[in-house]
Amino acid sequence: MEDIQAIVHCDADESEAVLLEGMPEEELLYDLADLFKVFADTTRIKVLYALMGKSLCVAHIAQAVGASQSAVSHQLRVLKQAHLVRFTRDGKNVIYSLADDHVYTILSQGMNHICE
Amino acid sequence: MEDIQAIVHCDADESEAVLLEGMPEEELLYDLADLFKVFADTTRIKVLYALMGKSLCVAHIAQAVGASQSAVSHQLRVLKQAHLVRFTRDGKNVIYSLADDHVYTILSQGMNHICE
DNA sequence: TATACGTATGAACAGTCGTTCATATGTTCA
DNA sequence: TGAACATATGAACGACTGTTCATACGTATA
C-alpha cells in the first residue's frame, strides 16, 4: 500500500491542504475531477490509445478513432488543456503525441479495476 | 515503463480485443469511460477521501463532504455500481467503506499528473 | 496572389448529469 | 403497533457536454 499522505499532499508547498480530516483543498479536488472528466469519454480515450507509441496528424487520428475531423479537433483541444497531448506543426499538418507517461498509468489503473 | 500490452489486454481471455492497431474493444472502452466518469465529480471524490482509512454512515459522510443526505445517497449508489465502495447495515445505519485499493491508486495517479 | 488542403473554432442542438424536494422504505424502541 | 430516525428513490429542473455544420485560419504550391 502506498503512503496515503503522498496522495493528499502533492508537494511540500501544500502544507495547508488538509481539510476535513485529510481532505485535499477544494481547488485541488476540482482540478482532480476535471482531469478525470477528460478520461470519461470514449472518443478521447480512443485518441489516447491511438497515440500510444506513435505520433499522428489530426486526419489520421480521426480515421483511427472513427470520428469526424471536427469532433477530433474539439477533443484534442480538451486533451491539450489537460496537458495529456503535445503537438508540433509539420507544414499543413499538426502532429500530436502523448505528453507523458501519466496517460499510460492512469488508463492502466482504470483497466485494472474494471478487470478486477 | 509498464508493458503496454498489459494495458490493452485485461487477461488471457481478451485475445480478440485488439482493434485499430492496439485499440481495446468498444465495450471495454465504454466501461473504462464509465469508470472515469465516477471519478469526475467533486462530491464523489470527497466521499472517497472521507472513507479513506475509515468506515462511515451516510449521515457522517454527508457531514464530512458538506452535501445533503439525499445527494450523498444518490452518489453512493453510483459508487456502489462502480464497485468502489462496500456497505453493511448496522441497525438503522448503513456503514460504507472503500471496496479496494484501486481507489487509492487511481486518485494518486491523478494527483501525480496534476502536480506534474 | 489565388487555390487547395489541413486544422481550428463558434453556434446550435440533443443528450446527460447532479442537485433538490417530496416521499417511500426499512429499522429500532417504547 | 405506532412513532422516530436513517437511508433510498423518483420526478423535475438547471447546468453541462459532445457532436454536427458552417466557416475561419494557417500553410504550401502553382
Side-chain angles (χ1 to χ4, degrees), chain A residues 1-2 4 7-8 10 20-24 26 28-33 35-37 39-42 45-46 49-50 52 54 64-65 82-84 100-102 104-116, chain B residues 1-2 4 7-8 10 20-24 26 28-33 35-37 39-42 45-46 49-50 52 54 64-65 82-84 100-102 104-116:
Chain A
M1 172 69 87
E2 290 187 283
I4 298 176
I7 300 169
V8 175
C10 270
L20 298 170
E21 300 176 17
M23 189 78 66
E26 194 76 16
L28 205 53
L29 291 175
Y30 271 99
D31 291 343
L32 194 56
L35 175 65
F36 287 121
K37 273 180 198 155
F39 286 94
D41 176 75
T42 51
I45 292 181
K46 286 180 186 174
Y49 268 105
M52 280 187 182
K54 50 192 161 188
V65 309
H83 304 291
L84 295 175
D100 56 48
D101 290 347
H102 291 144
Y104 293 98
T105 55
I106 292 175
L107 286 177
S108 66
Q109 291 301 327
M111 279 293 187
N112 283 345
H113 180 76
I114 289 174
C115 303
E116 296 296 56
Chain B
M1 171 67 90
E2 290 186 284
I4 297 176
I7 299 170
V8 175
C10 270
L20 297 169
E21 301 177 17
M23 189 78 66
E26 193 76 16
L28 205 52
L29 292 175
Y30 271 99
D31 291 343
L32 194 56
L35 175 65
F36 287 122
K37 272 181 198 154
F39 286 94
D41 176 75
T42 50
I45 292 181
K46 286 180 186 175
Y49 268 106
M52 281 186 181
K54 51 192 162 189
V65 309
H83 304 291
L84 295 176
D100 55 48
D101 290 347
H102 290 144
Y104 292 97
T105 55
I106 292 175
L107 286 177
S108 67
Q109 291 301 327
M111 279 293 187
N112 283 344
H113 180 75
I114 289 173
C115 303
E116 295 298 56

Side-chain angles (χ1 to χ4, degrees), chain B residues 7-93:
Chain B
I7 299 170
V8 175
H9 293 115
C10 270
D11 57 46
D13 295 327
E14 298 279 358
S15 56
E16 305 197 71
V18 181
L19 299 175
L20 297 169
E21 301 177 17
M23 189 78 66
E25 38 180 37
E26 193 76 16
E27 188 187 340
L28 205 52
L29 292 175
Y30 271 99
D31 291 343
L32 194 56
D34 282 343
L35 175 65
F36 287 122
K37 272 181 198 154
V38 177
F39 286 94
D41 176 75
T42 50
T43 298
R44 286 190 291 266
I45 292 181
K46 286 180 186 175
V47 170
L48 295 175
Y49 268 106
L51 291 176
M52 281 186 181
K54 51 192 162 189
S55 300
L56 294 173
C57 68
V58 176
H60 287 166
I61 296 172
Q63 182 182 350
V65 309
S68 72
Q69 177 270 322
S70 179
V72 167
S73 187
H74 278 294
Q75 300 307 341
L76 283 170
R77 185 170 179 269
V78 176
L79 293 170
K80 262 188 288 184
Q81 289 174 336
H83 304 291
L84 295 176
V85 298
R86 300 191 185 288
F87 67 98
T88 56
R89 270 210 102 92
D90 177 28
K92 288 181 292 190
N93 299 319

